[in-house]
Amino acid sequence: MTAHAAAATHANWLRGLEDPAPRGRLVCFPHAGGSAAFFHPWRRHLPEGLGLLAVQYPGRADRIREPCATDVAQLAVPITRALDMLPDPLVLFGHSMGATIAHEVARRIGRPITLAVSGRPGPARARRTAWHRTDDATLWDRVRELGGLPTEIADLAELRDLMLPILRADYRLSERHSYLPTPPLPGRVVAMIGDRDPEVTAAEAREWESSTTGGFDQRTYEGDHFYLVPHRDTVVRDLAALVLAP
């Protein structure tokens, strides 16, 4: 890939403002229905000198006119290309569906990097669900129950109509994804969960240990599936420490 093409790929997939020469970067992958904007408030909690980049999936925000991806590889391949031009240290953080995509990117990068996965069972323990096949009301109620939408926003009919096609596409992509056993990652893996998350148990999160030979750690926070919202400062601090770890 030429330098021009690499820069274009980077600009299309990654959002963020950072120092010209950061000491390291945290790259964040949103959940189903989420966009890069979810991670914008994290910047004020990040230590000076560290870069924060958030992945922008097609079909939302400034990429609203693009069709949503139908396969995890449609996301993982170009995102990997966008990250290839970034030097180490690099930490990938993915929440929920984002954990699956971040894992697929980490597999393709080809060098040891740290992967932090949140709110997701280990790849071999993925739950078999079919929320994307439910009606609009059921799918919307499911998203509300997980805590990703404030009540005052979730009650807006206009937002519901805008988000449902994106949510359904993301759930379809995630629920149809089949994990194929591959060699374990050479870099460290950290599994992060809320202690009341209905989407993953501590035992399911521990299954991520089998996906790496580079060391494993599991961290539990108080809260539900979106524990990382009320504990934003702690989560960002913990992730920043991973970026700066020797």
Side-chain angles (χ1 to χ4, degrees), residues 13-134:
W13 286 91
L14 302 175
R15 305 288 180 271
L17 298 173
E18 59 181 11
D19 295 337
R23 292 178 289 161
R25 293 175 175 87
L26 174 63
V27 183
C28 299
F29 295 70
H31 51 281
S35 71
F38 179 81
F39 297 104
H40 288 178
W42 286 29
R43 291 195 188 107
R44 60 177 172 267
H45 299 282
L46 207 64
E48 185 177 354
L50 291 191
L52 175 66
L53 296 170
V55 175
Q56 190 75 291
Y57 306 136
R60 64 215 71 199
D62 56 341
R63 302 185 69 184
I64 191 68
R65 296 186 182 278
E66 300 177 46
C68 293
T70 58
D71 182 84
V72 169
Q74 292 177 5
L75 301 174
V77 171
I79 293 170
T80 301
R81 290 173 182 157
L83 296 179
D84 275 343
M85 63 187 295
L86 298 180
D88 294 328
L90 197 65
V91 170
L92 307 187
F93 170 79
H95 178 61
S96 199
M97 180 188 80
T100 296
I101 300 168
H103 177 232
E104 291 295 325
V105 171
R107 287 175 51 196
R108 289 168 167 81
I109 281 182
R111 66 183 192 271
I113 60 170
T114 297
L115 171 67
V117 288
S118 169
R120 199 71 161 181
R125 287 284 297 274
R127 298 182 182 183
R128 297 304 172 197
T129 58
W131 291 103
H132 73 277
R133 296 182 181 274
T134 61

Side-chain angles (χ1 to χ4, degrees), residues 31-229:
H31 51 281
S35 71
F38 179 81
F39 297 104
H40 288 178
W42 286 29
R43 291 195 188 107
R44 60 177 172 267
H45 299 282
L46 207 64
E48 185 177 354
L50 291 191
L52 175 66
L53 296 170
V55 175
Q56 190 75 291
Y57 306 136
R60 64 215 71 199
D62 56 341
R63 302 185 69 184
I64 191 68
R65 296 186 182 278
E66 300 177 46
C68 293
T70 58
D71 182 84
V72 169
Q74 292 177 5
L75 301 174
V77 171
I79 293 170
T80 301
R81 290 173 182 157
L83 296 179
D84 275 343
M85 63 187 295
L86 298 180
D88 294 328
L90 197 65
V91 170
L92 307 187
F93 170 79
H95 178 61
S96 199
M97 180 188 80
T100 296
I101 300 168
H103 177 232
E104 291 295 325
V105 171
R107 287 175 51 196
R108 289 168 167 81
I109 281 182
R111 66 183 192 271
I113 60 170
T114 297
L115 171 67
V117 288
S118 169
R120 199 71 161 181
R125 287 284 297 274
R127 298 182 182 183
R128 297 304 172 197
T129 58
W131 291 103
H132 73 277
R133 296 182 181 274
T134 61
D135 59 71
D136 286 352
T138 302
L139 180 58
W140 191 247
D141 286 344
R142 173 62 177 173
V143 174
R144 294 183 64 166
E145 288 170 2
L146 289 177
L149 294 170
T151 302
E152 63 274 14
I153 293 178
D155 289 339
L156 295 175
E158 296 85 355
L159 178 68
R160 178 179 180 272
D161 293 342
L162 177 66
M163 287 195 63
L164 271 170
I166 300 170
L167 284 163
R168 191 174 301 281
D170 285 356
Y171 269 86
R172 183 185 300 113
L173 175 147
S174 181
E175 292 175 330
R176 288 181 174 178
H177 178 64
S178 296
Y179 170 71
L180 299 176
T182 56
L185 298 172
R188 183 182 184 187
V189 172
V190 178
M192 307 166 72
I193 61 170
D195 61 3
R196 300 189 305 277
D197 188 346
E199 292 285 281
V200 56
T201 65
E204 289 173 328
R206 200 170 299 120
E207 289 295 320
W208 282 101
E209 185 172 9
S210 64
S211 68
T212 180
T213 58
F216 174 78
D217 186 21
Q218 185 166 327
R219 302 181 185 183
T220 302
Y221 302 80
E222 182 180 357
D224 56 19
H225 190 58
F226 281 91
Y227 71 90
L228 64 170
V229 175

